[in-house]
Amino acid sequence: MITLKEALKLSQSELENLKKELNEKAKKEQKIGAYIEQFLAKDLSDGGKGIPIAIKDNISVKGWELTCASKILQGYVAPYDASAIVNLKNNGFSPYGRTNMDEFAMGSSSATSFYGKTLNPTNFNRVPGGSSGGSAAAVAGGLALASLGSDTGGSVRQPAAFCGCVGFKPSYGRISRYGLASYSSSLDQIGVLTQNVEDAAILYDAIAGYDPMDSTSANIEFIKTASKLNAEKKLRITVIENYINNASEEVKNTLLKSIDMLKANGHEIIYRQMPDSKFDIAAYYIIATAEASANLSRYDGVRYGRRSEDFHNLKDMYINSRSEGFGEEVKRRILLGTFVLSSGYYDAYYIKAQKTRALIKAKYEEILKDCDLIFMPVTPTTAFEFNAKKSPIEEYLEDIYTISLNLAGLGGISIPVGKNKEGLNISAQLICKAYDEQTLLDGALSLEKIIKNNK
Ligand code: GLN
């Protein structure tokens, strides 16, 4: 598949041909299930003049159905463009197909979608990761040039790592959340999934920047990154030693090799420890579910999407619409979130989680005071098999290396650095100081080049 950088040079007719080609390819590759709806006919005829970008089905595109892969939103049509989509269109790109995801972005396997699961293009028995599994599978499987996803606890970085593409989540507030269906508002951030680091910078530049429509948008200067990328900068990089050591043997060994290569190429490497990640998991699943329980209360059978046909009074209608419309994992999280916010438990769970969040943020800040970037795994293992996780908690543990970043509000990127014996992808995660995306992308480009040169 051609890159975004190459696509920027195509003529209008070449672009039309590319879209047709993508369309044909996607028809053949339907088994992967990357898209809920792909290559809308109108994109081939009218406005869609730009470079096609696949969009996760929780980002509003005016006139398109927006389902968050949930039954409850079936038939809901977005009345406006998300700000990220407005920016995308203004910069020569066109939304092009709705990618599959875990229902309401809750999950790490893309197996909870109402529309069926997405398969990992490298190995159909393996999950593509989640929740932006469709966005990652589309890029890694050659079914999209690039895609948008959302990352609340790792949903851009983890599926990118499982499928073998680049997944970049900028600092909280860099990309407007206006028009992104809320899961956990204090953690949610739109991110990009691309074939390489340069494309990640190009797509990020197209959609980032302050937006008065989002009160949490970062009102600070945004300087475009792609034209300033510099892979030659020598950086001071902190390796989180205990996280590397706790990853599976194959992930650990591959990452240790990458660290050696970074050193050999003139980057300075220092080693630090982070507190046990079980605290991150606990804090995240309290905060995320608490916010989700409030955010998802708007799906009541009245204002959005689907309403139950079976009811006798208003209360019945609410209950039946929600019972029929939400899947099992979403219900579990609404229940959990409602519980941790309930009187008597609020202090014991929610307040404690917020205090833990503050400590995690402070720890990152302390480490980043002394270096340019942090290096750690994205995931403890390579892509797991469908049904490998015996309980929800087991799947939650997949997020141990990604969620703390959202709790701290920092930017992170997942870069493919190797494969295991079966050909499954292994990625490294780089993390930057808040809003220092330029250094993050510079470091990521350097790592990408080093890996390529050592192949
Ligand atoms: N896997 C995490 C969760 O289930 C992260 C999801 C996300 O980033 N949207 O909440």
Side-chain angles (χ1 to χ4, degrees):
M1 178 60 53
I2 65 163
T3 63
L4 284 188
K5 198 183 176 196
E6 290 160 348
L8 282 166
K9 295 186 200 119
L10 296 183
S11 69
Q12 200 54 49
S13 66
E14 284 170 326
L15 256 185
E16 283 305 310
N17 286 339
L18 172 70
K19 287 182 190 176
K20 283 183 194 140
E21 209 177 289
L22 276 172
N23 203 357
E24 287 308 310
K25 205 164 172 194
K27 270 188 213 145
K28 280 193 212 127
E29 305 282 352
Q30 266 176 1
K31 198 170 170 211
I32 293 177
Y35 290 94
I36 293 178
E37 186 177 12
Q38 65 209 18
F39 311 117
L40 305 175
K42 64 175 177 292
D43 284 332
L44 289 171
S45 49
D46 74 5
K49 289 201 170 19
I51 297 166
I53 305 291
I55 309 291
K56 186 175 181 179
D57 200 23
N58 62 350
I59 301 173
S60 305
V61 178
K62 189 176 176 179
W64 283 19
E65 203 175 336
L66 178 83
T67 69
C68 297
S70 181
K71 184 177 173 187
I72 206 162
L73 272 174
Q74 229 180 358
Y76 169 72
V77 174
Y80 61 92
D81 276 334
S83 296
I85 299 293
V86 173
N87 292 346
L88 198 69
K89 288 179 174 171
N90 287 339
N91 283 290
F93 300 95
S94 297
Y96 206 66
R98 295 154 49 211
T99 56
N100 202 10
M101 55 186 282
D102 280 300
E103 187 181 0
F104 281 105
M106 297 173 181
S108 313
S109 61
S110 297
T112 70
S113 165
F114 175 65
Y115 301 93
K117 56 191 181 194
T118 301
L119 311 182
N120 189 318
T122 346
N123 179 332
F124 286 178
N125 295 322
R126 305 278 168 157
V127 303
S131 62
S132 313
S135 294
V139 174
L143 305 173
L145 282 76
S147 60
L148 298 192
S150 68
D151 190 313
T152 303
S155 279
V156 162
R157 292 160 287 148
Q158 185 255 18
F162 277 4
C163 291
C165 60
V166 169
F168 170 35
K169 178 205 98 76
S171 308
Y172 183 78
R174 265 299 194 205
I175 298 172
S176 171
R177 291 187 301 110
Y178 182 69
L180 167 71
S182 299
Y183 160 16
S184 175
S185 310
S186 75
L187 302 165
D188 295 341
Q189 183 63 189
I190 291 175
V192 299
L193 297 100
T194 54
Q195 299 170 64
N196 59 45
V197 173
E198 204 173 2
D199 276 5
I202 291 171
L203 195 52
Y204 164 68
D205 285 353
I207 62 175
Y210 173 65
D211 177 19
M213 297 299 281
D214 170 6
S215 62
T216 60
S217 170
N219 191 358
I220 50 170
E221 192 186 10
F222 167 63
I223 302 169
K224 291 198 190 284
T225 57
S227 61
K228 295 173 52 217
L229 278 176
N230 176 2
E232 303 313 316
K233 232 187 264 169
K234 298 302 168 216
L235 300 167
R236 190 168 150 92
I237 302 174
T238 300
V239 169
I240 306 297
E241 208 173 9
N242 52 325
Y243 286 3
I244 305 271
N245 288 335
N246 291 340
S248 69
E249 244 356 75
E250 54 189 15
V251 171
K252 174 180 158 182
N253 291 335
T254 306
L255 294 186
L256 288 176
K257 269 190 219 148
S258 305
I259 295 166
D260 285 343
M261 291 180 209
L262 284 168
K263 254 191 234 168
N265 278 273
H267 294 292
E268 185 187 351
I269 303 289
I270 51 176
Y271 294 89
R272 294 287 302 270
Q273 313 279 323
M274 281 287 276
D276 192 324
S277 44
K278 71 181 181 209
F279 300 115
D280 310 353
I281 298 274
Y284 172 85
Y285 277 94
I286 290 170
I287 293 167
T289 57
E291 293 183 14
S293 72
N295 275 328
L296 271 59
S297 66
R298 63 172 65 100
Y299 306 110
D300 54 6
V302 178
R303 286 170 289 179
Y304 301 90
R306 227 180 140 274
R307 174 182 298 176
S308 169
E309 285 167 7
D310 164 30
F311 61 89
H312 304 290
N313 54 40
L314 184 64
K315 196 170 160 200
D316 259 14
M317 193 278 289
Y318 288 150
I319 293 174
N320 293 348
S321 296
R322 287 170 69 83
S323 304
E324 290 166 19
F326 288 132
E328 191 187 332
E329 183 58 29
V330 174
K331 283 180 188 160
R332 178 180 297 114
R333 295 195 189 198
I334 293 174
L335 288 172
L336 191 61
T338 309
F339 174 75
V340 298
L341 288 176
S342 59
S343 82
Y345 295 101
Y346 184 83
D347 287 350
Y349 295 110
Y350 187 72
I351 296 291
K352 215 171 187 177
Q354 292 292 7
K355 287 183 182 159
T356 309
R357 180 177 190 169
L359 288 177
I360 293 167
K361 190 161 185 259
K363 185 71 193 174
Y364 268 116
E365 278 164 6
E366 188 241 312
I367 291 179
L368 282 162
K369 236 183 230 155
D370 188 35
C371 64
D372 301 302
L373 297 174
I374 290 175
F375 179 104
M376 61 157 94
V378 186
T379 54
T381 62
T382 51
F384 50 88
E385 288 182 356
F386 285 98
N387 303 322
K389 303 291 170 195
K390 298 293 168 244
S391 70
I393 301 268
E394 256 189 58
E395 189 160 327
Y396 298 169
L397 288 172
E398 277 302 306
D399 303 330
I400 52 175
Y401 302 131
T402 49
I403 54 181
S404 56
L405 201 65
N406 302 74
L407 291 166
L410 305 174
I413 188 165
S414 130
I415 311 287
V417 292
K419 290 192 186 296
N420 74 359
K421 283 193 229 79
E422 295 155 84
L424 296 172
N425 186 66
I426 296 170
S427 284
Q429 181 173 208
L430 292 174
I431 292 167
C432 66
K433 298 180 178 116
Y435 312 122
D436 191 11
E437 277 74 21
Q438 185 70 56
T439 307
L440 182 64
L441 291 163
D442 289 344
L445 185 64
S446 171
L447 177 59
E448 186 181 66
K449 278 197 170 165
I450 291 169
I451 299 292
K452 210 187 261 168
N453 293 340
N454 277 277
K455 260 189 187 153

PDB file of all heavy atoms in Angstrom, residues 110-140:
ATOM      1  N   SER A 110     -11.185  -6.324  20.228  1.00  0.00           N
ATOM      2  CA  SER A 110     -12.133  -6.076  19.137  1.00  0.00           C
ATOM      3  C   SER A 110     -13.049  -7.281  18.904  1.00  0.00           C
ATOM      4  O   SER A 110     -13.493  -7.531  17.796  1.00  0.00           O
ATOM      5  CB  SER A 110     -11.419  -5.684  17.830  1.00  0.00           C
ATOM      6  OG  SER A 110     -10.735  -4.473  18.017  1.00  0.00           O
ATOM      7  N   ALA A 111     -13.322  -8.009  19.978  1.00  0.00           N
ATOM      8  CA  ALA A 111     -14.209  -9.169  19.854  1.00  0.00           C
ATOM      9  C   ALA A 111     -15.591  -8.872  20.427  1.00  0.00           C
ATOM     10  O   ALA A 111     -16.469  -9.728  20.395  1.00  0.00           O
ATOM     11  CB  ALA A 111     -13.588 -10.370  20.549  1.00  0.00           C
ATOM     12  N   THR A 112     -15.797  -7.648  20.963  1.00  0.00           N
ATOM     13  CA  THR A 112     -17.092  -7.367  21.596  1.00  0.00           C
ATOM     14  C   THR A 112     -18.010  -6.528  20.708  1.00  0.00           C
ATOM     15  O   THR A 112     -19.056  -6.060  21.160  1.00  0.00           O
ATOM     16  CB  THR A 112     -16.921  -6.638  22.952  1.00  0.00           C
ATOM     17  OG1 THR A 112     -16.448  -5.307  22.704  1.00  0.00           O
ATOM     18  CG2 THR A 112     -15.959  -7.358  23.874  1.00  0.00           C
ATOM     19  N   SER A 113     -17.624  -6.349  19.440  1.00  0.00           N
ATOM     20  CA  SER A 113     -18.461  -5.554  18.531  1.00  0.00           C
ATOM     21  C   SER A 113     -19.763  -6.278  18.238  1.00  0.00           C
ATOM     22  O   SER A 113     -19.765  -7.498  18.023  1.00  0.00           O
ATOM     23  CB  SER A 113     -17.708  -5.326  17.217  1.00  0.00           C
ATOM     24  OG  SER A 113     -18.588  -4.882  16.216  1.00  0.00           O
ATOM     25  N   PHE A 114     -20.846  -5.538  18.171  1.00  0.00           N
ATOM     26  CA  PHE A 114     -22.147  -6.099  17.799  1.00  0.00           C
ATOM     27  C   PHE A 114     -22.101  -6.630  16.364  1.00  0.00           C
ATOM     28  O   PHE A 114     -22.873  -7.501  15.984  1.00  0.00           O
ATOM     29  CB  PHE A 114     -23.216  -5.009  17.944  1.00  0.00           C
ATOM     30  CG  PHE A 114     -24.574  -5.424  17.476  1.00  0.00           C
ATOM     31  CD1 PHE A 114     -25.277  -6.430  18.118  1.00  0.00           C
ATOM     32  CD2 PHE A 114     -25.165  -4.805  16.377  1.00  0.00           C
ATOM     33  CE1 PHE A 114     -26.538  -6.820  17.682  1.00  0.00           C
ATOM     34  CE2 PHE A 114     -26.433  -5.185  15.932  1.00  0.00           C
ATOM     35  CZ  PHE A 114     -27.118  -6.194  16.589  1.00  0.00           C
ATOM     36  N   TYR A 115     -21.160  -6.109  15.563  1.00  0.00           N
ATOM     37  CA  TYR A 115     -21.089  -6.467  14.145  1.00  0.00           C
ATOM     38  C   TYR A 115     -20.130  -7.622  13.870  1.00  0.00           C
ATOM     39  O   TYR A 115     -19.770  -7.880  12.724  1.00  0.00           O
ATOM     40  CB  TYR A 115     -20.704  -5.227  13.325  1.00  0.00           C
ATOM     41  CG  TYR A 115     -21.720  -4.143  13.523  1.00  0.00           C
ATOM     42  CD1 TYR A 115     -21.556  -3.166  14.498  1.00  0.00           C
ATOM     43  CD2 TYR A 115     -22.903  -4.145  12.783  1.00  0.00           C
ATOM     44  CE1 TYR A 115     -22.527  -2.204  14.716  1.00  0.00           C
ATOM     45  CE2 TYR A 115     -23.878  -3.187  12.997  1.00  0.00           C
ATOM     46  CZ  TYR A 115     -23.680  -2.227  13.971  1.00  0.00           C
ATOM     47  OH  TYR A 115     -24.650  -1.296  14.194  1.00  0.00           O
ATOM     48  N   GLY A 116     -19.673  -8.270  14.929  1.00  0.00           N
ATOM     49  CA  GLY A 116     -18.755  -9.404  14.742  1.00  0.00           C
ATOM     50  C   GLY A 116     -17.325  -8.967  14.942  1.00  0.00           C
ATOM     51  O   GLY A 116     -17.009  -7.787  14.924  1.00  0.00           O
ATOM     52  N   LYS A 117     -16.446  -9.949  15.132  1.00  0.00           N
ATOM     53  CA  LYS A 117     -15.078  -9.590  15.495  1.00  0.00           C
ATOM     54  C   LYS A 117     -14.218  -9.239  14.281  1.00  0.00           C
ATOM     55  O   LYS A 117     -14.540  -9.592  13.150  1.00  0.00           O
ATOM     56  CB  LYS A 117     -14.453 -10.737  16.277  1.00  0.00           C
ATOM     57  CG  LYS A 117     -14.472 -12.048  15.561  1.00  0.00           C
ATOM     58  CD  LYS A 117     -14.068 -13.182  16.517  1.00  0.00           C
ATOM     59  CE  LYS A 117     -14.070 -14.491  15.767  1.00  0.00           C
ATOM     60  NZ  LYS A 117     -14.023 -15.649  16.618  1.00  0.00           N
ATOM     61  N   THR A 118     -13.115  -8.575  14.565  1.00  0.00           N
ATOM     62  CA  THR A 118     -12.082  -8.295  13.564  1.00  0.00           C
ATOM     63  C   THR A 118     -10.955  -9.302  13.791  1.00  0.00           C
ATOM     64  O   THR A 118     -10.643  -9.617  14.941  1.00  0.00           O
ATOM     65  CB  THR A 118     -11.530  -6.866  13.757  1.00  0.00           C
ATOM     66  OG1 THR A 118     -12.608  -5.937  13.628  1.00  0.00           O
ATOM     67  CG2 THR A 118     -10.460  -6.533  12.737  1.00  0.00           C
ATOM     68  N   LEU A 119     -10.358  -9.784  12.699  1.00  0.00           N
ATOM     69  CA  LEU A 119      -9.238 -10.735  12.832  1.00  0.00           C
ATOM     70  C   LEU A 119      -7.905 -10.016  12.638  1.00  0.00           C
ATOM     71  O   LEU A 119      -7.842  -8.994  11.960  1.00  0.00           O
ATOM     72  CB  LEU A 119      -9.350 -11.851  11.779  1.00  0.00           C
ATOM     73  CG  LEU A 119     -10.699 -12.558  11.645  1.00  0.00           C
ATOM     74  CD1 LEU A 119     -10.612 -13.675  10.599  1.00  0.00           C
ATOM     75  CD2 LEU A 119     -11.160 -13.142  12.988  1.00  0.00           C
ATOM     76  N   ASN A 120      -6.869 -10.568  13.244  1.00  0.00           N
ATOM     77  CA  ASN A 120      -5.534 -10.009  13.054  1.00  0.00           C
ATOM     78  C   ASN A 120      -5.039 -10.420  11.671  1.00  0.00           C
ATOM     79  O   ASN A 120      -4.963 -11.618  11.378  1.00  0.00           O
ATOM     80  CB  ASN A 120      -4.600 -10.556  14.141  1.00  0.00           C
ATOM     81  CG  ASN A 120      -3.257  -9.870  14.152  1.00  0.00           C
ATOM     82  OD1 ASN A 120      -2.670  -9.618  13.116  1.00  0.00           O
ATOM     83  ND2 ASN A 120      -2.781  -9.557  15.340  1.00  0.00           N
ATOM     84  N   PRO A 121      -4.705  -9.464  10.792  1.00  0.00           N
ATOM     85  CA  PRO A 121      -4.311  -9.833   9.422  1.00  0.00           C
ATOM     86  C   PRO A 121      -3.081 -10.737   9.348  1.00  0.00           C
ATOM     87  O   PRO A 121      -2.934 -11.488   8.390  1.00  0.00           O
ATOM     88  CB  PRO A 121      -4.032  -8.496   8.728  1.00  0.00           C
ATOM     89  CG  PRO A 121      -4.175  -7.439   9.743  1.00  0.00           C
ATOM     90  CD  PRO A 121      -4.724  -8.020  11.012  1.00  0.00           C
ATOM     91  N   THR A 122      -2.221 -10.703  10.373  1.00  0.00           N
ATOM     92  CA  THR A 122      -1.027 -11.568  10.340  1.00  0.00           C
ATOM     93  C   THR A 122      -1.385 -13.019  10.646  1.00  0.00           C
ATOM     94  O   THR A 122      -0.715 -13.938  10.206  1.00  0.00           O
ATOM     95  CB  THR A 122      -0.005 -11.150  11.440  1.00  0.00           C
ATOM     96  OG1 THR A 122      -0.351  -9.882  11.952  1.00  0.00           O
ATOM     97  CG2 THR A 122       1.390 -11.174  10.935  1.00  0.00           C
ATOM     98  N   ASN A 123      -2.409 -13.228  11.458  1.00  0.00           N
ATOM     99  CA  ASN A 123      -2.779 -14.581  11.865  1.00  0.00           C
ATOM    100  C   ASN A 123      -4.244 -14.539  12.304  1.00  0.00           C
ATOM    101  O   ASN A 123      -4.586 -13.930  13.310  1.00  0.00           O
ATOM    102  CB  ASN A 123      -1.865 -15.021  13.015  1.00  0.00           C
ATOM    103  CG  ASN A 123      -2.209 -16.415  13.511  1.00  0.00           C
ATOM    104  OD1 ASN A 123      -3.361 -16.861  13.424  1.00  0.00           O
ATOM    105  ND2 ASN A 123      -1.209 -17.113  14.022  1.00  0.00           N
ATOM    106  N   PHE A 124      -5.081 -15.193  11.513  1.00  0.00           N
ATOM    107  CA  PHE A 124      -6.529 -15.067  11.729  1.00  0.00           C
ATOM    108  C   PHE A 124      -7.013 -15.684  13.042  1.00  0.00           C
ATOM    109  O   PHE A 124      -8.151 -15.473  13.447  1.00  0.00           O
ATOM    110  CB  PHE A 124      -7.303 -15.688  10.553  1.00  0.00           C
ATOM    111  CG  PHE A 124      -7.258 -14.856   9.302  1.00  0.00           C
ATOM    112  CD1 PHE A 124      -7.883 -15.295   8.131  1.00  0.00           C
ATOM    113  CD2 PHE A 124      -6.608 -13.630   9.272  1.00  0.00           C
ATOM    114  CE1 PHE A 124      -7.855 -14.525   6.971  1.00  0.00           C
ATOM    115  CE2 PHE A 124      -6.569 -12.854   8.121  1.00  0.00           C
ATOM    116  CZ  PHE A 124      -7.194 -13.310   6.964  1.00  0.00           C
ATOM    117  N   ASN A 125      -6.167 -16.473  13.704  1.00  0.00           N
ATOM    118  CA  ASN A 125      -6.591 -17.029  14.999  1.00  0.00           C
ATOM    119  C   ASN A 125      -6.331 -16.070  16.144  1.00  0.00           C
ATOM    120  O   ASN A 125      -6.691 -16.337  17.284  1.00  0.00           O
ATOM    121  CB  ASN A 125      -5.840 -18.330  15.296  1.00  0.00           C
ATOM    122  CG  ASN A 125      -6.197 -19.394  14.292  1.00  0.00           C
ATOM    123  OD1 ASN A 125      -7.358 -19.487  13.888  1.00  0.00           O
ATOM    124  ND2 ASN A 125      -5.207 -20.157  13.866  1.00  0.00           N
ATOM    125  N   ARG A 126      -5.653 -14.977  15.832  1.00  0.00           N
ATOM    126  CA  ARG A 126      -5.266 -14.039  16.877  1.00  0.00           C
ATOM    127  C   ARG A 126      -6.119 -12.778  16.834  1.00  0.00           C
ATOM    128  O   ARG A 126      -6.558 -12.364  15.757  1.00  0.00           O
ATOM    129  CB  ARG A 126      -3.799 -13.611  16.690  1.00  0.00           C
ATOM    130  CG  ARG A 126      -2.834 -14.751  16.617  1.00  0.00           C
ATOM    131  CD  ARG A 126      -2.475 -15.252  17.973  1.00  0.00           C
ATOM    132  NE  ARG A 126      -1.775 -16.523  17.907  1.00  0.00           N
ATOM    133  CZ  ARG A 126      -0.976 -16.951  18.872  1.00  0.00           C
ATOM    134  NH1 ARG A 126      -0.781 -16.219  19.954  1.00  0.00           N
ATOM    135  NH2 ARG A 126      -0.393 -18.126  18.776  1.00  0.00           N
ATOM    136  N   VAL A 127      -6.277 -12.154  17.999  1.00  0.00           N
ATOM    137  CA  VAL A 127      -7.028 -10.889  18.054  1.00  0.00           C
ATOM    138  C   VAL A 127      -6.168  -9.784  17.438  1.00  0.00           C
ATOM    139  O   VAL A 127      -4.931  -9.857  17.467  1.00  0.00           O
ATOM    140  CB  VAL A 127      -7.410 -10.507  19.502  1.00  0.00           C
ATOM    141  CG1 VAL A 127      -8.222 -11.601  20.158  1.00  0.00           C
ATOM    142  CG2 VAL A 127      -6.181 -10.170  20.333  1.00  0.00           C
ATOM    143  N   PRO A 128      -6.823  -8.754  16.893  1.00  0.00           N
ATOM    144  CA  PRO A 128      -6.058  -7.622  16.364  1.00  0.00           C
ATOM    145  C   PRO A 128      -5.736  -6.617  17.471  1.00  0.00           C
ATOM    146  O   PRO A 128      -5.104  -5.598  17.213  1.00  0.00           O
ATOM    147  CB  PRO A 128      -7.044  -7.001  15.373  1.00  0.00           C
ATOM    148  CG  PRO A 128      -8.395  -7.285  15.971  1.00  0.00           C
ATOM    149  CD  PRO A 128      -8.281  -8.620  16.664  1.00  0.00           C
ATOM    150  N   GLY A 129      -6.188  -6.915  18.694  1.00  0.00           N
ATOM    151  CA  GLY A 129      -6.092  -5.934  19.776  1.00  0.00           C
ATOM    152  C   GLY A 129      -7.314  -5.031  19.741  1.00  0.00           C
ATOM    153  O   GLY A 129      -8.171  -5.145  18.866  1.00  0.00           O
ATOM    154  N   GLY A 130      -7.393  -4.155  20.734  1.00  0.00           N
ATOM    155  CA  GLY A 130      -8.569  -3.282  20.784  1.00  0.00           C
ATOM    156  C   GLY A 130      -8.302  -2.079  21.635  1.00  0.00           C
ATOM    157  O   GLY A 130      -7.251  -1.953  22.251  1.00  0.00           O
ATOM    158  N   SER A 131      -9.177  -1.147  21.648  1.00  0.00           N
ATOM    159  CA  SER A 131     -10.441  -1.278  20.977  1.00  0.00           C
ATOM    160  C   SER A 131     -10.418  -0.843  19.511  1.00  0.00           C
ATOM    161  O   SER A 131     -11.341  -1.159  18.764  1.00  0.00           O
ATOM    162  CB  SER A 131     -11.495  -0.448  21.705  1.00  0.00           C
ATOM    163  OG  SER A 131     -11.142   0.926  21.688  1.00  0.00           O
ATOM    164  N   SER A 132      -9.353  -0.156  19.047  1.00  0.00           N
ATOM    165  CA  SER A 132      -9.330   0.279  17.634  1.00  0.00           C
ATOM    166  C   SER A 132      -8.799  -0.839  16.740  1.00  0.00           C
ATOM    167  O   SER A 132      -7.957  -0.597  15.866  1.00  0.00           O
ATOM    168  CB  SER A 132      -8.460   1.533  17.471  1.00  0.00           C
ATOM    169  OG  SER A 132      -8.752   2.507  18.449  1.00  0.00           O
ATOM    170  N   GLY A 133      -9.288  -2.069  16.939  1.00  0.00           N
ATOM    171  CA  GLY A 133      -8.775  -3.219  16.199  1.00  0.00           C
ATOM    172  C   GLY A 133      -9.042  -3.123  14.712  1.00  0.00           C
ATOM    173  O   GLY A 133      -8.203  -3.532  13.893  1.00  0.00           O
ATOM    174  N   GLY A 134     -10.192  -2.584  14.328  1.00  0.00           N
ATOM    175  CA  GLY A 134     -10.513  -2.443  12.901  1.00  0.00           C
ATOM    176  C   GLY A 134      -9.573  -1.448  12.235  1.00  0.00           C
ATOM    177  O   GLY A 134      -9.090  -1.681  11.125  1.00  0.00           O
ATOM    178  N   SER A 135      -9.284  -0.351  12.938  1.00  0.00           N
ATOM    179  CA  SER A 135      -8.386   0.677  12.381  1.00  0.00           C
ATOM    180  C   SER A 135      -6.985   0.112  12.180  1.00  0.00           C
ATOM    181  O   SER A 135      -6.314   0.423  11.191  1.00  0.00           O
ATOM    182  CB  SER A 135      -8.314   1.891  13.327  1.00  0.00           C
ATOM    183  OG  SER A 135      -9.566   2.539  13.393  1.00  0.00           O
ATOM    184  N   ALA A 136      -6.530  -0.716  13.134  1.00  0.00           N
ATOM    185  CA  ALA A 136      -5.187  -1.298  13.034  1.00  0.00           C
ATOM    186  C   ALA A 136      -5.145  -2.377  11.954  1.00  0.00           C
ATOM    187  O   ALA A 136      -4.218  -2.412  11.139  1.00  0.00           O
ATOM    188  CB  ALA A 136      -4.767  -1.891  14.375  1.00  0.00           C
ATOM    189  N   ALA A 137      -6.167  -3.227  11.919  1.00  0.00           N
ATOM    190  CA  ALA A 137      -6.194  -4.319  10.935  1.00  0.00           C
ATOM    191  C   ALA A 137      -6.292  -3.754   9.520  1.00  0.00           C
ATOM    192  O   ALA A 137      -5.703  -4.295   8.583  1.00  0.00           O
ATOM    193  CB  ALA A 137      -7.357  -5.262  11.217  1.00  0.00           C
ATOM    194  N   ALA A 138      -7.026  -2.649   9.360  1.00  0.00           N
ATOM    195  CA  ALA A 138      -7.163  -2.045   8.036  1.00  0.00           C
ATOM    196  C   ALA A 138      -5.800  -1.571   7.530  1.00  0.00           C
ATOM    197  O   ALA A 138      -5.435  -1.809   6.380  1.00  0.00           O
ATOM    198  CB  ALA A 138      -8.158  -0.880   8.084  1.00  0.00           C
ATOM    199  N   VAL A 139      -5.035  -0.915   8.397  1.00  0.00           N
ATOM    200  CA  VAL A 139      -3.723  -0.390   7.972  1.00  0.00           C
ATOM    201  C   VAL A 139      -2.730  -1.540   7.777  1.00  0.00           C
ATOM    202  O   VAL A 139      -2.068  -1.641   6.740  1.00  0.00           O
ATOM    203  CB  VAL A 139      -3.179   0.634   8.996  1.00  0.00           C
ATOM    204  CG1 VAL A 139      -1.765   1.063   8.640  1.00  0.00           C
ATOM    205  CG2 VAL A 139      -4.101   1.849   9.064  1.00  0.00           C
ATOM    206  N   ALA A 140      -2.657  -2.432   8.767  1.00  0.00           N
ATOM    207  CA  ALA A 140      -1.670  -3.517   8.689  1.00  0.00           C
ATOM    208  C   ALA A 140      -2.018  -4.516   7.580  1.00  0.00           C
ATOM    209  O   ALA A 140      -1.132  -5.120   6.989  1.00  0.00           O
ATOM    210  CB  ALA A 140      -1.572  -4.234  10.032  1.00  0.00           C
TER     211      ALA A 140
END
